[in-house]
Amino acid sequence: MRLLLLLLALWEVAGRVWPPGPLVPLPSAIVLDAASLLASGELFVHVLRSAVRVALGGGVGAGVGVLVGVALAAGGPGRLFDVPVALARPIPSLAWIPLTLLWFGVGEGQQIAILALATFGVVVAGTRDAIGAVPTAWLQAAENLGASRGARLGVRAQAALPGVLASVAEGFAAAWFVLVAAEFVSATEGLGVLVLAGRDLILPARTFVGAAGLAASAGLTAWALRALRGRLTRWA
Amino acid sequence: MIRVRGVSRTFVEARTSARVPALDGFELEVSRGEFLAILGPSGCGKSTLLRLLAGFDRADAGLVEVDGAPVTAISPRRLLVSQDPALFPWLTAAENIGFGLRAQGRADPARVEALLVEFGLAGAGGRYPRELSGGMRQRVALARALAVRPDVLLLDEPFGALDALSRESMQALLEATWLASGATVVLVTHSVDEALRLADRVVVVSPRPARVVGSVVVESARPRRAGSHPELRERLMGWAVP
Amino acid sequence: MPAPERAAAGWAVAGFVAFVGLWALASGWIARPQVFPGPLSVAATAWERRLDLVDAAGRSGLRVGVGWVGASALAVPLGWAAGAVPPLDDELRRFTGLVRSIPPFAWLPLLLLWVGIGDTTSVLVCALGAFFPVLEGARTGSSQAPPALLHAARNLGASPARVLLAVRIPAALPGTFTGLRTGATFAWMSLVAAELVGADGGLGQLILDARNLARPDLAIAGMLCIGAIAWSVSGVLHQLERGARRWGVA
């Protein structure tokens, strides 16, 4: 922490002594820009818009991801999903921009779709692996003690829960990761917009403010989901 | 009660496709209510036998019969407890013990409570497995098995991972519980002393493929104390393959 | 082929056929080839434009390659050092903590401003994407070198440098390969992002153009190319990693 502050201080001082021109912002400029956005209430709007998008996109992606992940782990006809998922996974979510534009048109839907795709890719694999990693010893013990098929499924679900929740958290992290790209095409408000505004308006300070906001939001989401997971799986 | 005749089971190792014979023409009989110890060095033959008896696996050839009927499925009448207690981590000790009862729709909190006391776990019923020591976990595993009153109790080196003190107290506990339950017990162990401490009869088995090479009957009053059969010990050690 | 593998292969084939079949049915039912092209249309377009696709793949591949190799050349030794020297590790963590959680795509506007549109920006974005995963993988692998082996080597009289080269690095290889693989994935993702914004040629550009020309069949062909390349690279690295694991310490 101290090293970071020291570097910022150096940056500031160096910038004042040798002004680098409008392309490289000083820490003071960044702070000022952030303050002005905060004061005008704009920052709040940007954060809120992005947060809602991530919540919706991540929610849909995680929900579908868990369902498909369960289907994949269940085997049998669920394995039919193997091929489409394997094909789609290596495709970066950003590459979906043209198709999503074509299908959802310009607007919130398209942005949320990109976020959902990013989350889905992570959650589906994580869920499938978590369910597959349940120790057979536990399932056999349950059967030995007389548990019915339904009860055994319950055992599998409980055992896989920590892993599934962890992959959901990773999924949301992935959503924040691609937010800038998701908002790239048509968003007018959002943290990604702030990041991009730096280039369009030649306001590099704003990019830093956006990036910092992004990092903070992603961190906060991760912390919240971790706390939730701790709550739900206190035994783990 | 238990009849194993000409049983063979061979495994194919996945990576090398090598055939590993775990059992080859194995023969064994256990009377009802008998405590049998199967003694032998670590290897998969003995564990495989227990798994066949529990119904977790099928023999390639031969007959595996319990109580007059061939073993075809897993059942709470033939309970297997391994070195890994396999407790369900999301359930408390008490909930683990009551699992089998609840699974069969015969929940019995009073019995669970009695078992907790009998196994020295009074007060620990509300703890999760991750909060329990190794010895306590194994006690919960045993209590969980005995809660459903199995006809046959199959134990695969259950105390192998415990320290000497815990092992001694667990052996005493097992003997007392068995005497009260009347179940038939098959215990797999690599400890000669443990076998002599607990069993009515000890059978020595050679490794891969497992084959019975010797057997002694332990006629001794119960409850027993450790180290009271030096001559039998010598005989058993004589058969044991290094 | 042993039974379970046969079953898995069977399902894979069935899944592929089912997928293509459903796709064909869906596109037929929707009956709007400009919006939802069928598999035959995509395959035909891919064949028709194969030269463009190969050229684009080559350009993209080169950018990713340079970026990834460059980032790894820096990140791997740094990671190995960090795994061996805990104080260095702590300093590094604090130093990079905030920076590492910023997605590579967020660096793009700054790079575009400072460096401008072009190959350099693309390569830099890739490098940024690959750097942290590779660093982490190398660090983890290095720090997990079994202390028993390290002590044994020192005891036998090996100099610290020898210990490093002969014990720690081989032990670190599996983790390092995992990091390299993740880094490659992130580099590829970052590249596509960079190209979408503006670069000369490349698969990302191709897809963007396809959209402009309202050719989703080309876009899908491009996407499948991207996916195929990412999958193959990942596969090759995975095999190398398995080889390292089998021979190595972990």
Side-chain angles (χ1 to χ4, degrees), chain A residues 140, chain B residues 4 7-12 20-26 28 38 41-61 63-64 71 80 82 154-157 186 188-189 205-211:
Chain A
Q140 284 176 338
Chain B
V4 175
V7 160
S8 300
R9 180 78 177 96
T10 303
F11 293 105
V12 179
V20 180
L23 298 165
D24 190 16
F26 198 86
L28 187 71
I38 300 183
S42 290
C44 68
K46 313 192 302 282
S47 301
T48 308
L49 177 68
L50 288 189
R51 291 174 61 85
L52 290 177
L53 286 170
F56 285 10
D57 198 4
R58 283 271 178 87
D60 297 328
L63 174 77
V64 179
V71 172
L80 175 64
S82 310
L154 304 160
L155 303 168
D156 192 354
E157 306 208 35
V186 179
V188 159
T189 179
V205 154
S206 71
R208 295 213 202 163
R211 210 173 288 124

Side-chain angles (χ1 to χ4, degrees), chain A residues 13-206:
Chain A
V13 168
R16 287 190 190 261
V17 172
W18 304 285
L23 292 181
V24 182
L26 294 175
S28 49
I30 297 172
V31 172
L32 276 171
D33 195 42
S36 84
L37 284 171
L38 198 62
S40 66
E42 275 179 72
L43 189 62
F44 178 70
V45 174
H46 289 300
V47 171
L48 192 65
R49 288 298 218 112
S50 290
V52 168
R53 281 180 199 127
V54 168
L56 284 173
V60 168
V64 177
V66 169
L67 288 173
V68 177
V70 169
L72 282 174
R79 298 291 295 274
L80 282 176
F81 281 106
D82 256 338
V83 171
V85 168
L87 273 178
R89 276 205 76 210
I91 299 176
S93 0
L94 311 169
W96 290 95
I97 288 183
L99 277 184
T100 50
L101 270 175
L102 214 47
W103 296 343
F104 293 87
V106 169
E108 293 293 333
Q110 183 258 340
Q111 294 159 31
I112 292 176
I114 297 280
L115 294 169
L117 279 164
T119 311
F120 174 82
V122 172
V123 174
V124 74
T127 302
R128 179 199 57 193
D129 293 341
I131 296 179
V134 173
T136 1
W138 296 0
L139 297 166
Q140 284 176 338
E143 195 177 353
N144 206 184
L145 289 160
S148 64
R149 266 207 103 193
R152 289 197 314 263
L153 276 176
V155 167
R156 209 186 264 269
Q158 279 275 21
L161 194 61
V164 171
L165 289 176
S167 80
V168 168
E170 276 169 33
F172 273 89
W176 279 112
F177 202 76
V178 303
L179 181 78
V180 180
E183 294 186 349
F184 165 62
V185 176
S186 62
T188 46
E189 286 160 331
L191 286 166
V193 174
L194 285 181
V195 170
L196 293 163
R199 176 189 64 150
D200 298 331
L201 302 174
I202 319 275
L203 273 179
R206 187 142 299 184

Side-chain angles (χ1 to χ4, degrees), chain B residues 41-234:
Chain B
S42 290
C44 68
K46 313 192 302 282
S47 301
T48 308
L49 177 68
L50 288 189
R51 291 174 61 85
L52 290 177
L53 286 170
F56 285 10
D57 198 4
R58 283 271 178 87
D60 297 328
L63 174 77
V64 179
E65 239 183 44
V66 173
D67 212 1
V71 172
T72 49
I74 299 177
S75 155
R77 320 201 61 143
R78 291 170 266 112
L79 234 307
L80 175 64
V81 179
S82 310
Q83 204 168 109
D84 168 16
L87 298 181
F88 306 122
W90 57 90
L91 296 177
T92 61
E95 286 167 345
N96 261 287
I97 294 176
F99 183 87
L101 294 168
R102 286 196 311 276
Q104 295 168 47
R106 300 184 286 131
D108 194 342
R111 178 151 168 74
V112 171
E113 198 52 49
L115 280 166
L116 281 168
V117 170
E118 189 181 332
F119 279 75
L121 296 161
R127 293 205 215 143
Y128 287 106
R130 98 181 136 96
E131 299 168 301
L132 300 171
S133 69
M136 292 173 85
R137 282 187 212 160
Q138 203 55 286
R139 274 187 264 167
V140 174
L142 260 180
R144 181 174 73 175
L146 286 158
V148 298
R149 296 191 214 270
D151 297 329
V152 178
L153 190 60
L154 304 160
L155 303 168
D156 192 354
E157 306 208 35
F159 312 137
L162 303 179
D163 60 276
L165 274 171
S166 304
R167 234 190 324 212
E168 280 218 23
S169 62
M170 287 296 279
Q171 285 163 3
L173 184 56
L174 177 61
E175 187 185 29
T177 315
W178 165 68
L179 282 169
S181 71
T184 310
V185 177
V186 179
L187 168 76
V188 159
T189 179
H190 60 264
S191 160
V192 177
D193 295 310
E194 185 166 276
L196 289 171
R197 166 87 177 70
L198 292 169
D200 292 325
R201 183 163 56 106
V202 181
V203 152
V204 181
V205 154
S206 71
R208 295 213 202 163
R211 210 173 288 124
V212 177
V213 296
S215 146
V216 295
V217 172
V218 188
E219 280 160 4
S220 193
R222 291 184 185 272
R224 297 193 187 147
R225 264 181 329 211
S228 38
H229 311 90
E231 354 67 52
L232 289 177
R233 199 170 192 285
E234 289 242 8

Side-chain angles (χ1 to χ4, degrees), chain A residues 1-4 7 22-25 75-84 86-87 90-99 101-103 176-178 180-182 184-185 195-199 202-204 207-208 211-212 214-216 218, chain C residues 7-9 11-16 18-19 34-37 91 94-95 98 100-110 112-114 117 186 188-190 192-194 196-197 207-208 211 214-216 219-220 223-224 226-228 230-231:
Chain A
M1 198 63 231
R2 277 171 305 177
L3 191 62
L4 193 64
L7 277 165
L23 292 181
V24 182
R79 298 291 295 274
L80 282 176
F81 281 106
D82 256 338
V83 171
L87 273 178
I91 299 176
S93 0
L94 311 169
W96 290 95
I97 288 183
L99 277 184
L101 270 175
L102 214 47
W103 296 343
W176 279 112
F177 202 76
V178 303
V180 180
F184 165 62
V185 176
V195 170
L196 293 163
R199 176 189 64 150
I202 319 275
L203 273 179
T207 300
F208 280 84
L214 254 179
Chain C
W11 276 114
V13 170
F16 188 72
F19 172 64
Q34 314 96 294
V35 175
F36 199 92
E91 278 307 309
R94 263 178 268 149
F95 196 64
L98 195 61
R100 125 195 1 219
S101 50
I102 298 173
F105 198 73
W107 287 102
L108 206 49
L110 282 174
L112 285 170
L113 211 49
W114 294 341
I117 294 178
F186 275 68
W188 192 239
M189 271 169 43
S190 314
V192 175
L196 285 175
V197 169
I207 296 179
L208 191 68
R211 194 246 316 181
R215 292 287 304 277
I220 294 180
M223 284 165 64
L224 287 173
I226 294 178
W231 181 75

